Amino acid sequence: MSRDPLHYAQAQINIDRAIWAKLNRFSVDPGEGFGGLRQRVNAVFFHYLQQAITISSYIGGERFNRTSPWYSQQQRPFEPVPAEIQREALTILEKQVFSPEAISLSPDLVNLLAPDRWFDSTQGFNSTSLDYPLYDQILGVQAMVLSNLFRPDRLERLRDVELKQTSSDLLTLSELFDQVTDSLWQEIFEPGTQTASLSSLRRGIQQYHLNLLVNLTIDRPNNQSEPSGFLDFLALITTANAPEDAKTLAYEQINRLRPALSNYLHRYGGQLDRTNRAYLEKISDRLSHILSSPL
């Protein structure tokens, strides 16, 4: 419903954030329970995800024109999205989805989000908790957008971009892998003078990104055990049938991360809180095991 879906989606995301900031107990209609407020928050989450998926479609994207060879005035059916617009879309996602400050709700609002005493799909199939699953909601949005970026068809188009365009300015497969890794692991690659303060959500999206890289790197046997949850399943199906170049670049990203983590732990390990230190040590050990194992 716009001639410029990229910036329209960005504006819609800003509206979503403004709505979350304004929701409170006065947003509940007379005679309505807090379940109505919970439904409104969920609706905004769904809308936020829709807009982020729209933005991600620009990366490795191309326009399809229903045109005629006789009346099109030389317009081609396929027009790749210019590289500068793809990079702009990726930058928007970094700020609006993957940044640690991208998605947040105030504790005052979250503690109002009691469910109705009916079936509530936001509880999850295996959860009996009544409190609002904020961690799962935010990480779910981030993981689904990240998976959308690493869809096999998108990776294939980025692999083939140099075969379809004569321009020297191209968003390549390697650039996508580098930029996503740099964004999600910025605290490790660019520590500055202070130790990283990794929230549980930041650790969650980093681990999901790592799962994508590992699944791309390691060929899975047919008798692989069942995924342990929705995000494991999502990472598994996202990386199925990925092109070989993507698998090679995933291995390269793991090779980038391993020494960066080692250097960070050596420099800041003694200053980290217990949870973050254990988390980074576990990730470092996992990467070492992957790099030392036959592929």
Side-chain angles (χ1 to χ4, degrees), residues 188-253:
I188 305 303
F189 286 115
E190 301 177 8
T193 58
Q194 296 181 344
T195 58
S197 178
L198 301 174
S199 68
S200 60
L201 278 167
R202 190 64 167 171
R203 295 193 297 269
I205 190 58
Q206 287 177 346
Q207 290 185 84
Y208 184 76
H209 175 243
L210 184 59
N211 287 342
L212 289 176
L213 296 179
V214 171
N215 287 348
L216 284 168
T217 299
I218 300 176
D219 290 329
R220 299 286 177 173
N222 293 331
N223 60 352
Q224 180 188 7
S225 59
E226 292 294 325
S228 60
F230 171 71
L231 291 185
D232 283 346
F233 175 75
L234 182 62
L236 193 61
I237 62 173
T238 295
T239 53
N241 303 315
E244 285 298 322
D245 282 355
K247 297 178 181 181
T248 301
L249 289 168
Y251 184 78
E252 181 195 40
Q253 297 304 309

Side-chain angles (χ1 to χ4, degrees), residues 16 33 108 121-122 136 142 220 228 253 290:
D16 290 336
D108 289 340
S121 60
T122 65
D136 293 336
Q142 292 177 324
R220 299 286 177 173
S228 60
Q253 297 304 309
I290 291 168

Side-chain angles (χ1 to χ4, degrees), residues 98-165:
F98 301 133
S99 167
E101 300 83 21
I103 308 175
S104 63
L105 276 68
S106 72
D108 289 340
L109 174 60
V110 175
N111 288 315
L112 294 177
L113 303 180
D116 290 324
R117 305 305 288 174
W118 302 93
F119 173 75
D120 180 31
S121 60
T122 65
Q123 298 302 313
F125 294 108
N126 299 318
S127 174
T128 57
S129 177
L130 293 178
D131 57 335
Y132 191 75
L134 183 62
Y135 175 92
D136 293 336
Q137 289 285 73
I138 296 177
L139 183 58
V141 169
Q142 292 177 324
M144 283 187 274
V145 175
L146 187 58
S147 279
N148 194 265
L149 286 178
F150 283 86
R151 280 172 41 182
D153 58 339
R154 191 182 314 283
L155 299 181
E156 288 171 358
R157 286 198 299 271
L158 288 170
R159 176 200 62 188
D160 299 341
V161 65
E162 61 189 21
L163 306 176
K164 298 180 178 180
Q165 297 189 53

Side-chain angles (χ1 to χ4, degrees), residues 6 9 13 49-61 86 89-90 92-93 97-98 144-151 154 157-158 171 176:
L6 174 63
I13 282 179
L49 174 61
Q50 285 181 308
Q51 307 314 308
I53 293 297
T54 296
I55 294 170
S56 67
S57 67
Y58 277 81
I59 299 158
Q86 295 186 51
L90 191 54
I92 292 172
L93 291 180
V97 178
F98 301 133
M144 283 187 274
V145 175
L146 187 58
S147 279
N148 194 265
L149 286 178
F150 283 86
R151 280 172 41 182
R154 191 182 314 283
R157 286 198 299 271
L158 288 170
L171 179 71
L176 173 66

